[in-house]
Amino acid sequence: MTAQINHPDYYRAGKFECSDYIEAFDLNFNLGNVIKYVTRAGRKADDAVPDLQKARVYLEREIARVSLKRATELLVAPGITE
């Protein structure tokens, strides 16, 4: 039972587990969820679309986060003083 809770088949491909990939690349919450939902799309349930839609939501959140960070860095550019 704990194997199904801690290591479900739909997060594993051969000897690779989704969480190992996420940790190896030190992915943040949003990117980790993108990997998680793409990995299990069509494997946990027959319909892959809901998981792919969830992955898209987290990818869009990450794009917005990175875009905001970039814009903020441009506004506070090194060498510019008030």
Side-chain angles (χ1 to χ4, degrees), residues 1-10:
M1 180 64 167
T2 48
Q4 271 307 101
I5 294 170
N6 296 327
H7 307 284
D9 294 337
Y10 49 86

Side-chain angles (χ1 to χ4, degrees), residues 30-71:
N30 290 329
L31 294 177
N33 277 329
V34 170
I35 297 300
K36 176 180 79 170
Y37 285 115
V38 167
T39 299
R40 79 179 200 182
R43 298 182 77 199
K44 183 176 181 185
D46 290 336
D47 186 4
V49 173
D51 282 329
L52 295 174
Q53 290 170 331
K54 290 176 188 176
R56 180 176 56 194
V57 167
Y58 285 104
L59 184 56
E60 288 172 353
R61 287 176 61 97
E62 184 63 11
I63 290 168
R65 187 190 71 79
V66 171
S67 297
L68 179 61
K69 181 180 176 190
R70 183 183 300 158

Side-chain angles (χ1 to χ4, degrees), residues 7-18:
H7 307 284
D9 294 337
Y10 49 86
Y11 287 133
R12 178 178 291 284
K15 62 182 178 177
F16 298 103
E17 191 165 320
C18 180

